[in-house]
Amino acid sequence: MVVNRTVLAAIGMAGVLVFGSGTGTALAVSADSAGMAGPAPQQSILVSYFDDGSFEYPTVPANSYATFSAGQSIGPWLVTSGGVDLIHSGFWQAAEGNQSVDLNALQPGTVAQTFTTTPGTTYTVTYAVAGNVDSGPTVKTGQVLVDGQVFQDFAFDITGKTKTNMGYVKRQVTFVASGTTTTLAFASTTQGAAGPVLDDVRVTACSCSCCG
Ligand SMILES: [Ca+2]
């Protein structure tokens, strides 16, 4: 997607980017950063349980989007490489709620979230993937990483898909936590400005053999 820096700047100056304001969010944001007109610095985020896998916070303007670059936060997520676009459902259909993420801004990007885990416990990650239909490549590719290790490759073919019929597909991956915190990341491996689209990430701890 083409970056509209004018829109992004306007958002920041107007203070529309609201961090940690969502009901039920576990993201701990300091009083200082809560009023910032811009992305909160990484160090203001306290690690907590997995949250906002639906990319609903901060809210972007209706029918539009906002670009986030490496080092900037999207709610409890951190952009750790390249850039991504946070997309309102009026711009294109979300899988859940009102927003989704294009893992490419002008280049492939990565979003990561670090959350508390119990060592030895199995966690199931489900997510919805689609692709930016604005331009090629036809097949968007990306990876799921756990603590920096690739756990799953994914691909999505945008043939026949539109902004109002994105055709989201549910994927699942399982990992066993090795530490008291785990970093889950989604990385685009697609070149260009139109990447894989991610939404509705859920992390479930499995306490029995019924999942995984
Ligand atoms: Ca969403």
Side-chain angles (χ1 to χ4, degrees):
M1 156 163 317
V2 175
V3 177
N4 186 333
R5 299 204 179 278
T6 305
V7 170
L8 183 59
I11 296 165
M13 292 182 67
V16 177
L17 291 174
V18 180
F19 291 88
S21 65
T23 54
T25 181
L27 176 63
V29 177
S30 70
D32 289 340
S33 64
M36 283 179 59
Q42 179 182 359
Q43 53 267 35
S44 71
I45 296 175
L46 300 179
V47 174
S48 187
Y49 60 82
F50 181 81
D51 192 32
D52 195 23
S54 190
F55 302 99
E56 299 299 297
Y57 306 102
T59 53
V60 298
N63 310 318
S64 188
Y65 64 90
T67 299
F68 295 79
S69 302
Q72 294 185 309
S73 298
I74 303 176
W77 297 90
L78 180 69
V79 180
T80 56
S81 74
V84 305
D85 289 323
L86 185 60
I87 313 284
H88 187 264
S89 56
F91 193 87
W92 69 46
Q93 180 187 35
E96 198 279 333
N98 291 319
Q99 299 186 161
S100 60
V101 164
D102 180 348
L103 289 174
N104 284 53
L106 290 178
Q107 58 185 325
T110 302
V111 290
Q113 182 175 159
T114 300
F115 50 95
T116 55
T117 48
T118 302
T121 296
T122 299
Y123 292 84
T124 297
V125 179
T126 60
Y127 59 99
V129 65
N132 182 336
V133 298
D134 275 343
S135 61
T138 303
V139 178
K140 320 294 187 181
T141 58
Q143 296 175 325
V144 182
L145 298 95
V146 176
D147 290 332
Q149 206 174 353
V150 177
F151 264 57
Q152 187 172 64
D153 292 296
F154 59 83
F156 186 88
D157 188 332
I158 61 169
T159 302
K161 304 300 188 292
T162 65
K163 287 184 174 181
T164 54
N165 178 30
M166 293 288 281
Y168 285 95
V169 174
K170 276 278 172 103
R171 297 290 307 269
Q172 178 177 311
V173 62
T174 297
F175 70 89
V176 177
S178 58
T180 55
T181 64
T182 296
T183 299
L184 174 67
F186 293 84
S188 170
T189 54
T190 304
Q191 296 304 310
V197 174
L198 176 68
D199 196 9
D200 200 16
V201 181
R202 299 173 191 233
V203 178
T204 309
C206 301
S207 55
C208 61
S209 59
C210 54
C211 52

